Amino acid sequence: MKKLINSPADLVTESIAGLGAAFSDLIKVHFDPNFIIRADAPVRDKTAIISGGGSGHEPMHGGFVGRGMLDAACPGAVFSSPTPDQMLEATKAVDGGKGVLYIVKNYTGDILNFEMAADLARSEGIEVEAVMIDDDVAVKDSLYTAGRRGVGTTVLAEKICGAATEAGTSLSDVAELCRKVNASGRSMGMALTSCTVPHAGKPTFELPEDEMEIGVGIHGEPGRERTKLKTADEITKILLDPVLEDLPFKSGDQTLLFVNGMGGTPLLELFVVYRKAHRILTEKGIGVARSLVGPYMTSLEMAGTSITVLKLDDQLTRFWDAPVLTPAFRWGI
Amino acid sequence: MKKLINSPADLVTESIAGLGAAFSDLIKVHFDPNFIIRADAPVRDKTAIISGGGSGHEPMHGGFVGRGMLDAACPGAVFSSPTPDQMLEATKAVDGGKGVLYIVKNYTGDILNFEMAADLARSEGIEVEAVMIDDDVAVKDSLYTAGRRGVGTTVLAEKICGAATEAGTSLSDVAELCRKVNASGRSMGMALTSCTVPHAGKPTFELPEDEMEIGVGIHGEPGRERTKLKTADEITKILLDPVLEDLPFKSGDQTLLFVNGMGGTPLLELFVVYRKAHRILTEKGIGVARSLVGPYMTSLEMAGTSITVLKLDDQLTRFWDAPVLTPAFRWGI
Amino acid sequence: MLTASQILRWIEQYAKLISEQKDYLTQLDADIGDADHGANLDRGFQAVLTKKDELAGKDIGTIFKTVAMTLISKVGGASGPLYGTFFLQASVAAAHKDKLSEADFYEILEKGLAGITSRGKAKVGDKTMVDAFQPAVAAFKRNLDEGADFEKSLSDAIDAAERGMLSTIPLIARKGRASYLGERSAGHQDPGATSSVLLLKAARTAFS
Amino acid sequence: MLTASQILRWIEQYAKLISEQKDYLTQLDADIGDADHGANLDRGFQAVLTKKDELAGKDIGTIFKTVAMTLISKVGGASGPLYGTFFLQASVAAAHKDKLSEADFYEILEKGLAGITSRGKAKVGDKTMVDAFQPAVAAFKRNLDEGADFEKSLSDAIDAAERGMLSTIPLIARKGRASYLGERSAGHQDPGATSSVLLLKAARTAFS
Ligand SMILES: Nc1ncnc2c1ncn2[C@@H]1O[C@H](COP(=O)(O)OP(=O)(O)O)[C@@H](O)[C@H]1O
Ligand SMILES: Nc1ncnc2c1ncn2[C@@H]1O[C@H](COP(=O)(O)OP(=O)(O)O)[C@@H](O)[C@H]1O
Ligand SMILES: [Mg+2]
Ligand SMILES: [Mg+2]
Ligand SMILES: [Mg+2]
Ligand SMILES: [Mg+2]
């Protein structure tokens, strides 16, 4: 295992310490329990938003804390959900009197831990709502399973909902908005190589030199199928077709196209994927009104990409465009 | 070789096509010869800035084109300098009547090609100055060799000089400013793994599982020495010590600390390096007034990092902070 | 009767087993999950061990409560809240007790399991820790009703847990991270069911 | 006398050799550079080949000029401007000529080399293509002065170039990308010197 770390046990704490030192104007980092809050928290009379999840997906979520996006992020150990005590302390630190929205990716661990945190926060008199993101079309949507994973739409929901709370949206309304974003976004990912969890010390899976994993999860969970390596254009189509069919997206729709890097894939390649995705959408009469390209929801050093398409309306577009000032997203301010 | 590409020959063209489609509000992409210019080029009565180099270092330089930074970027084949005809056409497309500054990283190929382009542009009546960036302390500085490579300081010089031209700085003054930035910045990098040039199809070098390359170049050029793998804190010190000694940086100096990712190293790890670098500087009484952390000057999927320290004064700080609106840097607008 | 120090030994013994088996558990999790189950539990139980001294002399309810809170705040993932809830419900059942009869021990298992199923909503056959726990608790109950001694009850419970654990191999997961795999989850043993068997095995070592 | 169509054959033959040897050249460049020398030259000469038809019937100066401009706009890197300048200077020396005498051919090599050294500032011993070119040009001149026939002159030039190429192995690079390596550049053959030898070998095949 080749990593720039001191030890697996200290990795997350040292990394968020670095994040805090680099962006001390925007965020504050709290240790033991670990959480990251915007520098001016709590913001009086603003609904707060907290997200969190395992580490290893940076810049998500710590890089999304700041004006116009998250009020707090709770980083767990690498690929492990954070714990209720972190969430509870973060909740107390950011509640500005208007309640707190938890944006939770649909993984059993995240759901259970946020659930416990919500119980604890409510018992301390803080109003809490939780909205689950489950946009990964690689997973069959079934009532009898844990359902779909939360992936790329999470990033977009955090930006859009963050902007809404800056504009004075109430807790119940921002929760409603978050459910709308989740209902409007679909994603699918693939991997060329595995990631290596520091504690495990070796790759989570082995992919032969001529194979790829389609529908992979952001924790290196195996995907839909393993197939022979294909060209970027073919792969883009393999990812995009089920995404478009699922909602379904239709001619005339306006969308945000998000081509995400899994960590180890260079930007040079991501733009090749973006180019093809943009063409496919355009050929179907689906408009690409906004774009996001880059490694925003990563899986350590995994090589691969995921594509998220979000159906836009005026409200979502306005909140997407609204000013934001976080380590990873910065515009209009 | 596992890459999200269609073919090595089409890679660069398809990638900049994707870049252009994703950021059509900010930039325009020209093909054959390939160059990227800001959407509103030429800007009348503004000194223009062009940079360029081999592809594979994204977001550098194409991601730096836009208001407050570069007027144009010329991407070569992967790791190969672009050619004079690209530079000449880009020069004609962005000259706003106040001349054009070429920011050139010190590689023989880049120097020779930009030199030919400058000759051609001057013969067409366009005023051109070229400034060379050579900040890599891993290479011995000698009159009898090609000298030091241009690395991380390039990114900072392009931001700072771009802001200066927005403020009306003349060609000779912005060239002078660029030389000052170059004289104030020092860098050194390391690699944990090699990159794979698409045309070559296999890794440029082989690093055993327990070794690393100290002083590596951004094209996978071998570095100063190959040593046993060390902890992130030790590696940070190995990179930072020669950087600090070279200028030298002194107690009381104010600096911009730039921890760059080589492409394959996750942000999670880069912040561990940043944390230690910040500590070392602080302990020496050197102030970290500004920070930049992320993969801005990459080497395809190479895992590793480079550290750049730039000595700041009021002028450099002001231009660093000035508004910028490009695919990769965006603030204040 | 089980004493508080025997309960403490149970916890210590489980911590030891987890630490020994963590790579194995993580490998099972790598196959159908995210390669952290061993690391998760080990992080939690190592944190529990640091509280060993302060727990000496405490009643059993307090011991379980401390284990529960430590797991909840240190483990994360799915297994943190699930094992945490197991011990939290166990602590309610054992509140203020310094000794546990065989019936008390059954109540602990039964309440603990109820905590897991009410939190995780998994049923037998979903390919989770419940596939090991539920038959184990049932086997213990059967022995208890038949008046068997503690050793035999525990032994039968362990056998049932192991059979349950092995029964997860052909199953298609319907809960937890492995469920994302659909049919590809078949052919692999569930890591949580495996760590549950170890919990009971640790009891046998500690109590005998 | 060399005709324009022999010169064209020289260029085609060089394109063929480069395409055959591109992996080898790239491998040499991977060792002390950035693994693109073969790909660079191949990209350039494949582009030259697409202009083959329009060059048929043109004078030698025009042929060299077209090769030069194509290399300059397609190769990039250090070798693009250097080989480009070689052919640009050669085109000046061969302007409007349809035939080249042995002395004319010498002038082409000599002017081409002067172009390389004036652009790249490298001297013999710097571990570049100049280490192959310079002794080759000198050997050709010696033969010319002694009245040797073309075949022998070229053959001696090739031998000298090969010796020059091999002489780069122990050298520490002082120019180009390999110079960043300092002492670690010793022990490797320079890729540009290697491609220069191929240029002369292509001439022998084309002219005989
Ligand atoms: N809903 C559930 N009910 C009961 N057990 C579950 C449930 N979901 C997951 N598990 C158990 O948790 C184990 C995985 O734990 P762990 O790897 O620590 O958490 P995570 O899946 O969050 O990484 C699974 O093997 C399974 O036994
Ligand atoms: N200053 C120079 N003068 C002469 N030849 C040079 C000089 N610099 C580099 N070269 C030659 O160029 C070759 C490398 O070419 P190439 O790999 O195509 O370009 P780059 O180094 O830009 O990747 C070297 O092997 C060397 O022979
Ligand atoms: Mg996990
Ligand atoms: Mg090159
Ligand atoms: Mg797991
Ligand atoms: Mg090269």
Side-chain angles (χ1 to χ4, degrees), chain B residues 79-80, chain D residues 29-30 33-38 40 77-79 177 191:
Chain B
F79 291 177
S80 287
Chain D
D29 197 28
D34 60 349
D36 64 358
H37 186 58
N40 283 346
S79 55
R177 203 177 289 282

Side-chain angles (χ1 to χ4, degrees), chain B residues 80 106 113 145 202 213 223, chain D residues 27 36 40 77 174 180 184:
Chain B
S80 287
N106 186 30
N113 283 285
T145 69
K202 59 191 172 82
E213 184 82 27
Chain D
Q27 185 51 51
D36 64 358
N40 283 346
R174 281 194 297 248
Y180 304 133
R184 285 177 78 188

Side-chain angles (χ1 to χ4, degrees), chain D residues 19-153:
Chain D
S19 153
E20 285 167 11
Q21 302 289 318
K22 72 167 182 255
D23 290 346
Y24 172 58
L25 293 171
T26 291
Q27 185 51 51
L28 291 175
D29 197 28
D31 292 341
I32 52 170
D34 60 349
D36 64 358
H37 186 58
N40 283 346
L41 287 184
D42 190 48
R43 185 172 54 247
F45 278 94
Q46 289 306 315
V48 168
L49 284 188
T50 64
K51 305 198 172 150
K52 212 175 69 175
D53 291 345
E54 75 186 62
L55 287 179
K58 292 278 165 33
D59 68 83
I60 296 171
T62 304
I63 294 172
F64 283 152
K65 179 87 189 277
T66 305
V67 172
M69 296 317 289
T70 309
L71 294 182
I72 288 170
S73 73
K74 291 293 172 199
V75 176
S79 55
L82 291 169
Y83 277 108
T85 302
F86 175 90
F87 283 105
L88 201 61
Q89 294 307 321
S91 81
V92 175
H96 310 301
K97 294 194 174 158
D98 286 313
K99 292 214 165 67
L100 298 181
S101 68
E102 192 174 342
D104 290 339
F105 189 75
Y106 167 69
E107 204 194 329
I108 279 166
L109 293 181
E110 196 270 323
K111 288 274 153 53
L113 169 63
I116 289 176
T117 53
S118 90
R119 190 151 287 292
K121 313 272 182 307
K123 288 193 272 299
V124 165
D126 286 352
K127 196 176 183 114
T128 70
M129 53 178 71
V130 173
D131 289 319
F133 260 119
Q134 186 140 319
V137 175
F140 198 95
K141 170 81 162 115
R142 220 163 28 242
N143 275 283
L144 185 71
D145 291 348
E146 291 167 5
D149 70 3
F150 189 88
E151 219 162 289
K152 165 145 195 313
S153 303

Side-chain angles (χ1 to χ4, degrees), chain B residues 11 98 122 162 177 222 233-234 236 271 326:
Chain B
L11 171 55
K98 291 283 187 118
R122 285 186 194 118
L177 175 65
D233 282 359
E234 289 165 336
T236 305
F271 280 111
T326 73

